[in-house]
Amino acid sequence: MRSFTYERARLPGEAASAASRIEGAKFIAGGTNLLDLMKLEIETPTHLIDVNGLALDKIETTPEGGLRIGALVRNTDLAADPRVRRDYGLLSRALLAGASGQLRNKATTAGNLLQRTRCPYFYDTNQPCNKRRPGSGCAAIGGFSRQHAILGASQACIATHPSDMAVALRALDATVETVRPDGSVQSVPIAELYRLPGDTPQIETTLVPGELITAVKLPKPIGGTHIYHKVRDRASYAFALVSVGAIVAPDGTGRVALGGVAHKPWRVEAAEAEMPRGAKAVTEQLLAGAKPTDENAFKLPLVERTLSAVFAQARV
């Protein structure tokens, strides 16, 4: 690990200002992703801004009847909150499907959303990776690609977004609240937070340099059965091959978001109109334009089978 300087931020605006002013600065809270990458010298920040002292660790009811989740709320606390379990079961289930208990105890709401989109080649510094070194190439293309994207990929990157929580938040139409270095407060719909790789896969979100997430806002809860189904290679601590986050109403309508298939949580609202017709009709629209490799083409039928299992569970 390379040397770096360190400071503790006292206010969100102060943290954002420092991050934009100091070249190579990074925010740190739980550090469950950043510290691992620093040890491998994939991330080499010159300065760390500790945001743990900011008063951003509360879950509060909003005037609209939803919830405002502070950026520093730990994943374990969020999953266990009675209001989340009662009204946003999809979010609670997605959090419990992610990582290990030890990591959930440290990982924060904002950190979960901002963990790097990555694949095994990203971790291997002997291999070319446009995320680590823009313009070097993508070793996954033509390499071992079983876990990789079938939607929204490019010739620069075919990695998939790792967050289970983000899939749930996409289905729930969450909004991300931020503060920018100039002190302005922003509200970013979760649908607009993540970018597809295009020619610049190293730029993963629409946040400006130094912009700090302060909270995630959930709208008023909607009824229905909340289900998160994650298909992975082992029972715990593994990224999804395919995951489905769904809210299914008694009449068969609802919402569906996918994980493990693209560079960001994948939701196609037009496909949700097909939910009463069944998994096959929904899958056809969700996966329109899919371009799998030979090694991950199995994800196409796997999405339909997982959706079928979710819809069957919702009818029980």
Side-chain angles (χ1 to χ4, degrees):
M1 186 182 290
R2 299 185 187 182
S3 62
F4 54 87
T5 53
Y6 171 88
E7 70 174 283
R8 292 177 179 171
R10 296 172 297 177
L11 296 169
E14 177 184 287
S17 177
S20 68
R21 185 178 69 253
I22 303 170
E23 185 176 356
K26 293 276 186 180
F27 300 123
I28 188 166
T32 56
N33 185 212
L34 178 59
L35 289 178
D36 280 347
L37 297 180
M38 289 173 65
K39 291 173 185 177
L40 295 170
E41 296 192 4
I42 293 171
E43 291 278 8
T44 55
T46 60
H47 185 72
L48 291 184
I49 303 168
D50 188 336
V51 296
N52 282 295
L54 306 181
L56 302 174
D57 58 351
K58 302 292 189 299
I59 303 173
E60 302 167 308
T61 303
T62 66
E64 299 79 20
L67 287 180
R68 186 176 185 272
I69 303 161
L72 294 174
V73 173
R74 306 292 163 164
N75 287 179
T76 295
D77 296 331
L78 182 57
D81 186 90
R83 294 162 295 182
V84 175
R85 295 179 64 187
R86 181 188 66 228
D87 296 328
Y88 305 96
L90 173 56
L91 176 56
S92 182
R93 292 180 175 93
L95 285 163
L96 293 173
S100 64
Q102 293 92 334
L103 286 174
R104 291 195 298 270
N105 288 342
K106 291 293 292 181
T108 62
T109 297
N112 188 308
L113 290 178
L114 295 179
Q115 61 183 300
R116 295 298 306 271
T117 301
R118 56 204 189 271
C119 80
Y121 292 101
F122 175 79
Y123 285 109
D124 187 349
T125 55
N126 292 313
Q127 299 288 339
C129 173
N130 288 315
K131 282 185 175 294
R132 279 190 283 103
R133 193 167 69 253
S136 63
C138 176
I141 298 177
F144 182 68
S145 57
R146 183 172 180 272
Q147 297 178 322
H148 290 72
I150 59 174
L151 292 160
S154 72
Q155 288 302 305
C157 182
I158 59 172
T160 56
H161 195 272
S163 172
D164 296 289
M165 184 182 77
V167 176
L169 292 178
R170 181 66 181 91
L172 291 166
D173 281 331
T175 300
V176 177
E177 296 181 353
T178 71
V179 60
R180 288 186 170 177
D182 62 4
S184 63
V185 176
Q186 307 291 320
S187 293
V188 183
I190 191 76
E192 299 174 12
L193 178 64
Y194 298 109
R195 294 163 46 104
L196 291 177
D199 295 328
T200 55
Q202 75 278 11
I203 305 174
E204 296 172 350
T205 73
T206 57
L207 302 181
V208 302
E211 191 168 3
L212 175 71
I213 292 179
T214 55
V216 172
K217 191 175 180 180
L218 297 177
K220 184 177 179 179
I222 61 173
T225 302
H226 289 224
I227 298 172
Y228 189 75
H229 195 147
K230 181 177 181 178
V231 181
R232 46 191 164 179
D233 282 327
R234 59 181 184 270
S236 66
Y237 199 24
F239 294 152
L241 292 171
V242 164
S243 65
V244 173
I247 304 170
V248 185
D251 63 0
T253 61
R255 301 177 184 178
V256 171
L258 300 180
V261 297
H263 207 258
K264 63 180 184 178
W266 196 260
R267 182 179 173 198
V268 179
E269 281 84 344
E272 295 166 357
E274 304 295 329
M275 286 178 64
R277 295 181 55 205
K280 184 176 180 61
V282 177
T283 303
E284 287 177 354
Q285 292 209 35
L286 275 175
L287 301 186
K291 296 180 180 179
T293 67
D294 291 341
E295 292 182 343
N296 66 16
F298 72 91
K299 289 191 177 187
L300 300 176
L302 183 58
V303 168
E304 183 178 344
R305 292 169 187 165
T306 307
L307 273 172
S308 294
V310 166
F311 291 166
Q313 183 179 344
R315 290 193 295 269
V316 174

